[in-house]
């Protein structure tokens, strides 16, 4: 069974193998290619511009088989070349931020990142980072980058490059969940050490940087980190203004949080809602950094937050990533 299908300009060669009805797909990269697949059979046609515009039909079953093998091989090579071109050209913002290698990356640095400048080493102003432990930093002023709801890889394999610019100089990064992949944390860890939380199940659960909820000593003050914040005795989603409206001034908000985290906290960093928020209630700081690419559930460049902590307490502010776009 033989049928000629010409795609492109010039000479067209077509062969049919197996049984079934094929759907033609054309890919133009200087050479036109058509492929049809149905059941166990495949119809393959290829045309290369020769300027003569003639059709050539295989003269025998042997010629047909040889032409089919050549066409499939050419198609595979064209696809590989296309993938290589895309990989080499698809690094937006390359060269615009400085990183250091992540100690958690199990393989050598991705060659696509080679265009980035030499690592920027960020040291703690004081204290140490105990990976996976409850105490993150102790001592004098600590500056932390707060991030949440990155939704990798759906919103990109890693956060937008504006995050690296906004977090330049931070001592550590706290990720408040919906991380999904460890590759996102690897990227962030090239800026500063990372501590994260996540709601199971998720691919990054089991990563030593990830827990369900944590209490951290940041700048000598206790801070709770969780993705979905629950105020004991209240079923509302924590968004700007709702704590003031729903939690009475005489209610023990600190006790509610102590029951939730298992110990006393003076600040809470959380995510989930995609709505940025910085509020203080009954002396407790509540911070939601929002989402980097889905703020207010809208697909656009979003927000992070910067937190500073010392022996006097915690302060935070929301950062709009659009301010760091070039």
């Amino acid at each position: 069974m033989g049928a000629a299908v010409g795609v492109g300009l010039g000479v067209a060669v077509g062969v049919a193998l197996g049984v079934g009805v094929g759907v033609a797909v054309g890919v133009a990269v200087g050479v036109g290619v058509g492929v049809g697949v149905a059941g166990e059979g495949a119809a393959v046609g290829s045309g290369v511009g020769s300027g003569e515009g003639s059709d050539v039909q295989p003269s025998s079953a042997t010629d047909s088989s040889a032409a089919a093998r050549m066409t499939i091989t050419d198609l595979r090579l064209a696809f590989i070349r296309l993938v290589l071109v895309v990989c080499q050209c698809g690094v937006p913002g390359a060269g615009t931020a400085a990183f250091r290698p992540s100690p958690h990356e199990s393989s050598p640095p991705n060659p696509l990142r080679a265009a980035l400048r030499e690592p920027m080493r960020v040291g703690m102003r004081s204290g140490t980072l105990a990976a996976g432990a409850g105490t993150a930093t102790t001592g004098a002023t600590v500056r932390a980058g707060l991030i949440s709801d990155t939704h990798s890889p759906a919103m990109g394999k890693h956060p937008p490059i504006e995050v690296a610019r906004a977090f330049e100089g931070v001592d550590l990064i706290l990720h408040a969940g919906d991380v999904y992949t460890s590759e996102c944390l690897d990227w962030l860890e090239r800026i500063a050490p990372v501590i994260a939380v996540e709601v199971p199940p998720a691919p990054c659960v089991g990563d030593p940087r990830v827990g369900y909820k944590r209490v951290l000593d940041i700048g000598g003050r206790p801070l709770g980190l969780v993705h979905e914040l629950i105020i004991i005795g209240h079923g509302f989603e924590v968004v700007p203004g709702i704590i003031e409206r729903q939690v009475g001034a005489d209610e023990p908000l600190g006790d509610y949080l102590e029951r939730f985290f298992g110990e006393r906290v003076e600040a809470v960093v959380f995510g989930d809602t995609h709505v940025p928020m910085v509020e203080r209630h009954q002396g407790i700081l509540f911070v939601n950094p929002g989402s980097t690419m889905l703020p207010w559930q809208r697909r656009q460049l979003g927000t992070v937050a910067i937190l500073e902590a010392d022996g006097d307490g915690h302060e935070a502010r929301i950062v709009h990533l659009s301010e760091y776009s070039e």
Side-chain angles (χ1 to χ4, degrees):
M1 296 174 63
V5 181
V7 182
L9 297 177
V11 178
V13 178
V15 294
L17 299 177
V19 181
V21 179
V23 179
V25 180
V27 180
V29 189
V31 177
V33 178
V35 179
V37 179
E40 299 178 354
V44 182
S46 174
V48 180
S50 67
E52 297 181 6
S54 61
D55 288 344
V56 178
Q57 184 74 13
S59 59
S60 66
T62 302
D63 292 341
S64 298
S65 177
R69 286 195 296 271
M70 288 181 61
T71 304
I72 293 171
T73 300
D74 291 343
L75 179 59
R76 288 172 178 164
L77 289 173
F79 177 76
I80 291 170
R81 291 190 189 102
L82 182 60
V83 170
L84 289 173
V85 170
V86 171
C87 288
Q88 290 175 8
C89 298
V91 188
T96 57
F99 294 90
R100 58 194 175 99
S102 166
H104 290 87
E105 288 182 300
S106 56
S107 58
N110 190 321
L112 297 181
R113 296 173 179 168
L116 298 174
R117 292 196 297 249
E118 284 301 308
M120 168 188 67
R121 298 223 169 247
V122 178
M124 297 291 182
R125 291 190 180 88
S126 65
T128 59
L129 177 73
T135 299
T137 57
T138 58
T141 301
V142 173
R143 189 167 182 264
L146 310 181
I147 188 171
S148 187
D149 296 278
T150 46
H151 291 268
S152 299
M155 292 294 103
K157 186 176 180 179
H158 56 70
I161 198 67
E162 286 83 357
V163 172
R165 298 172 189 148
F167 284 173
E168 185 172 355
V170 299
D171 297 314
L172 77 160
I173 296 171
L174 304 182
H175 197 307
D178 272 359
V179 184
Y180 294 152
T181 65
S182 292
E183 287 77 9
C184 173
L185 302 180
D186 292 338
W187 188 88
L188 290 170
E189 199 162 48
R190 299 175 73 193
I191 305 168
V194 177
I195 298 175
V197 291
E198 186 65 293
V199 176
C204 67
V205 171
D207 187 303
R209 296 163 292 189
V210 179
Y212 174 61
K213 57 184 173 183
R214 299 174 178 271
V215 175
L216 308 168
D217 186 355
I218 306 293
R221 318 293 293 194
L223 176 147
L225 178 65
V226 70
H227 182 57
E228 296 177 295
L229 177 61
I230 297 172
I231 307 296
I232 301 296
H234 297 273
F236 57 75
E237 194 173 52
V238 180
V239 294
I242 199 165
I243 295 178
E244 183 178 4
R245 293 194 302 270
Q246 298 291 332
V247 180
D250 58 342
E251 290 190 69
L253 184 57
D255 292 348
Y256 294 161
L257 294 174
E258 183 175 3
R259 288 170 59 189
F260 179 73
F261 284 106
E263 54 186 287
R264 209 79 179 172
V265 297
E266 297 178 7
V268 178
V269 175
F270 64 102
D272 189 45
T273 67
H274 295 212
V275 180
M277 165 181 163
V278 176
E279 295 182 359
R280 196 179 297 273
H281 299 281
Q282 298 184 21
I284 302 167
L285 182 67
F286 293 81
V287 185
N288 186 331
S291 173
T292 55
M293 290 298 291
L294 283 171
W296 299 277
Q297 305 295 341
R298 296 194 295 266
R299 187 161 187 162
Q300 63 187 54
L301 198 59
T303 59
V304 292
I306 298 293
L307 177 137
E308 293 189 349
D310 57 22
D312 295 326
H314 306 89
E315 297 291 340
R317 60 184 175 86
I318 298 297
V319 175
H320 294 269
L321 293 176
S322 59
E323 298 174 4
Y324 290 87
S325 295
E326 292 184 349

